[in-house]
Amino acid sequence: MSEALTLPEFYYCSEVATKLRRTEAAIRWAWSTGALKSRVVGGRRVSTAEDITAYFEANA
């Protein structure tokens, strides 16, 4: 019996901006500088809930 695969929840730029109360431009800047961890999935840049939490804690 195999265990169920748990996939991380991904957030797009507009969703991250809403959660962090920042502009989309600010999120793209944070992604480009590496301040906010991200990855490309299906051709779109995304962050996980864990990435957002870590960024929030580091910059609160």
Side-chain angles (χ1 to χ4, degrees):
M1 182 179 249
S2 63
E3 293 184 28
L5 176 64
T6 303
L7 296 175
E9 192 169 339
F10 293 116
Y11 296 96
Y12 298 113
C13 185
S14 61
E15 296 167 323
V16 175
T18 299
K19 287 192 175 295
L20 295 178
R21 296 183 179 179
R22 299 288 179 249
T23 64
E24 289 185 34
I27 298 305
R28 286 191 294 274
W29 176 83
W31 281 344
S32 69
T33 62
L36 175 57
K37 189 176 175 185
S38 66
R39 63 213 31 84
V40 177
V41 176
R44 296 196 54 191
R45 187 156 299 277
V46 297
S47 288
T48 63
E50 292 80 17
D51 299 335
I52 295 168
T53 300
Y55 178 79
F56 183 76
E57 289 174 352
N59 295 293

